[in-house]
Amino acid sequence: MFNFNSKKIILVFISMFVLISPAFAQNKDLGIIDFPTSGSPEAQKYFIRGVLLMHSFEYRDAAAEFKKAREIEPGFAMAYWGEAMTHNHPVWNQQNKSAAQKIMKGLASTAEERMKKVPTQREKDYWRALEVLYGDGDKISRDYAYSEAMKQLYEKYPEDLEAASFYALSILGTVQGKRDFRTYVRSGAIAQEVFGKNPLHPGAAHYVIHSFDDPIHAPLGLKAARVYSNIAPDAPHALHMPSHIFMALGMWDDSASLNERSAAAAFKKGQNGLHPTWWLHYTYLQQGRYEEARKLLAEVEKKMNQTNSRSYIRHAAHMRSSFIVETRNWREANIGNFDASSLGTKAMANVLLVNGFAAIEFEKIDKATKILDQLKELISTEQKSDDLELVQLMHKELEAFIQFKMDNDNKALALLQEAIALQDNMRFEFGPPIPVKPVHELFGEVLLQLDQPEEAKREFKISLTQNANRALSLLGLARANSALGDSEASRKAYSELKEIWHNSDDLPELQEINSKLVQVGSQ
């Protein structure tokens, strides 16, 4: 994952900051920041730790630190500010306004009374922004107003890296959980500025990664990804976040290493670790480590059966769907043991799509058609526009595959074109792909079977721009190039896949890869 030189550089950075600011040495397991307040030195210690945890989205632990700070110093206004801030999760588009207001009223019952208890002008400015965040109006309007307030704070205190960091995060919050490249790049530019001034700032590295974790911009976040887990090794989310960049770039070995550490750290802290486990499972599948992926899935399904937790059910559904698609083990596709009402639209649609594909593979067209009707019913009831588009896309994928198996090739190709038009106009979603079968990859596989390798090659290449180093797209590209007689392009794609599968199980495709590479090498 990290080479020795990069670790040495990070240790040098830590040593430099410790020498400059010895009071922060105790926080080197979470990063280093400079956030002076009017609090007492003892209360300030917990306040700093709370802010560090908050920058890594460890909100529950952060709130506990802020509580400790105000227990030590009951009138410490910024400790109340920090605890209230833990109830706003901009990137996840979550906010608990009532919980935050309850904390704020612990300092004083009204905004005017609270402001009188905030001792310095700079702290008053932070509180004014907080009052906007949890003030009047709907969440969207408050998010925009809060971001504007943070912009004013950022401009008023240009040397305050915390103002800059929280401003960058507030910009991400204005998109309401949806990907908007222009907004994300604006946030990333500010976070990069902070990262340049303090390369051990957890928020800066974190927000850089969030701003650039798509295949187009991911190279801009690679430096931050390389160091973030070492900046804050005590935060499970910080151990996971670099994999946003690594997955976007198809760096599977790095993604596996970080998510293994993140899941282990989460379990150690009593968290369920489902999010990094899901990403690790998908990463194992890309590496051809199917048995490792199977073990992870079995662990999650076992816990699902023990707890009947909605979160476990949803993650198990996504993971089993991916497992079946990537391994092409269609016999395991009867995912009928889930309580469909607990799945959520995306997971439910993925399950239906995979069950539909499996029915087609076993020539049970009637069953596949019934599943298609279930997807259509989901479309009729879904209210959220983004989820609606995803279900429509999966409906077209399944219908196209049904038509293809019924030898209605033109109809199948037309439906896949419609599905592609839908996907290419949708906002980018990071992480394991949804739909579980990327439509350009599916289109390429259908075109290969129709003996159209040139057109198939185009679709696989597009799939790889959207899903870097995705194993099945690389395999499809290698086969398309081979069918076209392009030995050099075929060798390149097979070689790349062999490198990705350097630690894989004994997969049957390895024989194909080695045979083709020998064949090309002898030409």
Side-chain angles (χ1 to χ4, degrees), residues 317-318 320-321 324-325 330 333-336 338 340 343-360 367-379 381 391 394-395 397-399 402 435-436:
H318 280 304
R320 179 161 286 280
S321 297
I324 293 160
V325 166
W330 302 106
N334 184 21
I335 319 176
F338 295 98
L343 281 180
T345 298
K346 293 178 182 178
M348 190 187 307
N350 262 339
V351 166
L352 290 172
L353 180 65
V354 172
N355 283 345
F357 283 156
I360 295 168
K367 182 178 180 180
T369 302
K370 289 179 181 178
I371 293 172
L372 188 68
D373 289 339
Q374 290 178 270
L375 281 170
K376 189 173 183 179
E377 185 177 345
L378 266 184
I379 292 171
T381 58
V391 182
M394 288 188 244
H395 183 274
E397 281 189 292
L398 182 56
E399 185 179 4
I402 290 172
V436 68

Side-chain angles (χ1 to χ4, degrees), residues 250-493:
M251 299 168 64
W252 302 119
D253 288 353
D254 295 278
S255 177
S257 180
L258 263 293
N259 282 303
E260 285 168 351
R261 289 174 61 195
S262 176
F267 295 142
K268 187 176 180 180
K269 284 180 171 285
Q271 302 170 7
N272 62 36
L274 282 171
H275 186 70
T277 298
W278 176 23
W279 285 50
L280 177 60
H281 179 262
Y282 179 75
T283 298
Y284 281 164
L285 290 170
Q286 298 314 302
Q287 293 179 305
R289 298 165 66 182
Y290 295 165
E291 288 309 309
E292 291 292 329
R294 185 190 294 277
K295 290 176 185 176
L296 278 183
L297 175 59
E299 290 173 8
V300 171
E301 290 186 332
K302 179 181 178 181
K303 197 71 174 179
M304 174 193 75
N305 292 327
Q306 290 172 345
T307 64
N308 200 32
S309 157
R310 179 171 181 174
S311 184
Y312 274 98
I313 293 171
R314 178 168 55 85
H315 280 84
H318 280 304
M319 290 168 65
R320 179 161 286 280
S321 297
S322 289
F323 183 82
I324 293 160
V325 166
E326 304 304 326
T327 64
R328 289 136 293 163
N329 189 347
W330 302 106
R331 294 188 182 280
E332 298 191 28
N334 184 21
I335 319 176
N337 297 324
F338 295 98
D339 178 3
S341 64
S342 298
L343 281 180
T345 298
K346 293 178 182 178
M348 190 187 307
N350 262 339
V351 166
L352 290 172
L353 180 65
V354 172
N355 283 345
F357 283 156
I360 295 168
E361 291 292 340
F362 292 111
E363 299 182 355
K364 297 179 179 180
I365 301 300
D366 288 346
K367 182 178 180 180
T369 302
K370 289 179 181 178
I371 293 172
L372 188 68
D373 289 339
Q374 290 178 270
L375 281 170
K376 189 173 183 179
E377 185 177 345
L378 266 184
I379 292 171
S380 67
T381 58
E382 182 54 51
Q383 300 295 317
K384 293 172 63 177
S385 60
D386 288 354
D387 286 356
L388 175 61
E389 289 177 341
L390 279 171
V391 182
Q392 290 173 331
L393 170 56
M394 288 188 244
H395 183 274
K396 289 185 182 297
E397 281 189 292
L398 182 56
E399 185 179 4
F401 209 47
I402 290 172
Q403 294 297 327
F404 174 63
K405 288 297 183 178
M406 294 174 65
D407 295 325
N408 297 326
D409 296 343
N410 290 336
K411 178 65 173 174
L413 295 177
L415 285 165
L416 285 169
Q417 289 283 15
E418 292 174 14
I420 282 170
L422 265 177
Q423 178 173 291
D424 290 350
N425 284 319
M426 290 169 62
R427 289 186 174 89
F428 169 78
E429 293 278 351
F430 56 78
I434 300 176
V436 68
K437 183 65 172 178
V439 65
H440 284 284
E441 182 177 278
L442 176 63
F443 196 11
E445 291 171 352
V446 168
L447 288 166
L448 264 186
Q449 292 184 59
L450 292 174
D451 196 24
Q452 298 182 38
E454 187 66 48
E455 292 79 2
K457 174 181 176 179
R458 180 192 65 232
E459 296 305 320
F460 289 126
K461 290 180 76 171
I462 294 173
S463 180
L464 287 165
T465 64
Q466 298 174 348
N467 308 275
N469 287 335
R470 182 173 157 80
L472 292 184
S473 290
L474 266 176
L475 181 62
L477 179 62
R479 288 171 172 172
N481 283 323
S482 181
L484 288 167
D486 189 338
S487 58
E488 179 57 29
S490 176
R491 182 201 63 76
K492 183 175 183 295

